[in-house]
Amino acid sequence: MNPAPSIVFFTTASGAGYGLLFWLGLLRPLGLVPGQGLVALALALVLITAGLLSSTLHLGNPQRAWRAVSQWRSSWLSREGVAAILTYIPALLLGLALWVDAPTLALAAGLLAAAGAIATVYCTGMIYASLKPIRQWHHPLVVPGYLALSAFSGAVLLAMLAAFAGGGAVPALLATLTGAAALLLKRAYWQAIDAAPPIATIESATTLGFIGKVRQLDPPHTEQNYLLREMGFRIARKHAAKLRLIAQGAGFALPVLLALLAVLIGGTPAALALTLGAVLAIGGLLIERWLMFAEATHTVMLYYRG
């Protein structure tokens, strides 16, 4: 599948934003995050909004993006849009509660914002997990992976901001735990898709297998078309393996170690370590998201490479 930059940025930025909103909504009303939390909320909303706007760039007619929410009964894309819009309401109420120092409102709005963040990321994951022709996406670990990566990237960002506010031990510990869990989940996912057999062959796709071995005589098209552009992207196995190692090291292992170090040392060095960890985590997750698309194979390509 074509790893379009707009979609790669969307899944990374919005995932981090919703993860940050989730942890802020849970922890700030309980006093586990130092400071007002308004900076963290602003960053979360900026990431969410930038990601959602970026996703519209991949549409054929971005000006019609508003119509996507009309099919919420049957489309996970529409459900994602509805959940994203509704989540803005408690998020903004949380900001108001933090601004006027209203603990009860902050608690209620924070919990609703956290629930909205989970629902939106879940819908995003289901957009891909519901696509049966793409075996790497139609997998039981895809949705848990989206949720885990969102929780990890949000925790890293919150830990960084909290450290500059004079605290951050709890968010840093969360970043350590969620990062380790996300890495294990991602490795399990990669191992599963590498070992899984193809869901279809050229024989089953053409229903001509009863005759014998099927081979292609002529390509369906002589020029580039939509299917080849969007679903015909290929990446060499050795390059994918290198990028996986980079994503695991920069996106997970190093941020986890830096977060653990920050818990132990505290102070300004901890804030600097968490800042570096956040940069590495976001950069590594951009690579991981790129691979999520580049390694995905659509069944329709059997007609082009048979």
Side-chain angles (χ1 to χ4, degrees), residues 59-70:
L59 299 176
N61 294 290
Q63 67 273 16
R64 298 178 183 174
W66 62 272
R67 295 185 179 180
V69 301
S70 64

Side-chain angles (χ1 to χ4, degrees), residues 210-288:
F210 68 95
I211 299 177
K213 182 69 176 177
V214 177
R215 65 184 179 89
Q216 186 183 84
L217 297 177
D218 292 297
H221 301 276
T222 58
E223 297 180 355
Q224 182 83 343
N225 63 6
Y226 174 81
L227 293 178
L228 289 173
R229 185 174 64 253
E230 293 298 321
M231 304 175 190
F233 186 89
R234 304 184 75 171
I235 180 174
R237 183 178 296 273
K238 63 178 182 179
H239 294 152
K242 291 178 181 178
L243 289 175
R244 284 185 181 185
L245 288 175
I246 294 173
Q248 290 177 76
F252 298 97
L254 287 177
V256 165
L257 292 176
L258 289 169
L260 183 59
L261 177 64
V263 173
L264 298 175
I265 60 177
T268 301
L272 296 177
L274 289 169
T275 300
L276 177 59
V279 172
L280 288 172
I282 298 301
L285 290 181
L286 284 170
I287 296 174
E288 184 276 332

Side-chain angles (χ1 to χ4, degrees), residues 84-253:
I85 293 172
L86 293 178
T87 301
Y88 275 103
I89 299 174
L92 293 175
L93 288 175
L94 175 60
L96 176 63
L98 295 176
W99 179 264
V100 301
D101 192 20
T104 303
L105 177 59
L107 179 60
L111 292 176
L112 289 174
I118 294 176
T120 306
V121 176
Y122 178 84
C123 290
T124 302
M126 282 302 301
I127 292 173
Y128 303 99
S130 63
L131 299 177
K132 295 181 180 180
I134 306 175
R135 68 173 183 85
Q136 292 88 347
W137 291 355
H138 190 62
H139 192 279
L141 291 181
V142 166
V143 173
Y146 267 81
L147 292 170
L149 295 178
S150 177
F152 167 54
S153 54
V156 168
L157 292 175
L158 183 60
M160 176 190 69
L161 296 174
F164 280 105
V170 172
L173 184 59
L174 286 173
T176 302
L177 297 175
T178 56
L183 176 57
L184 292 175
L185 187 62
K186 194 65 197 180
R187 287 178 61 86
Y189 166 78
W190 277 329
Q191 291 173 2
I193 64 171
D194 288 345
I199 58 175
T201 64
I202 186 63
E203 287 78 22
S204 65
T206 59
T207 68
L208 297 175
F210 68 95
I211 299 177
K213 182 69 176 177
V214 177
R215 65 184 179 89
Q216 186 183 84
L217 297 177
D218 292 297
H221 301 276
T222 58
E223 297 180 355
Q224 182 83 343
N225 63 6
Y226 174 81
L227 293 178
L228 289 173
R229 185 174 64 253
E230 293 298 321
M231 304 175 190
F233 186 89
R234 304 184 75 171
I235 180 174
R237 183 178 296 273
K238 63 178 182 179
H239 294 152
K242 291 178 181 178
L243 289 175
R244 284 185 181 185
L245 288 175
I246 294 173
Q248 290 177 76
F252 298 97

Side-chain angles (χ1 to χ4, degrees), residues 9 17 21 30 49 76 84 91 212 216 257:
F9 176 80
L21 179 62
L30 299 177
T49 304
W76 283 106
Q216 186 183 84
L257 292 176

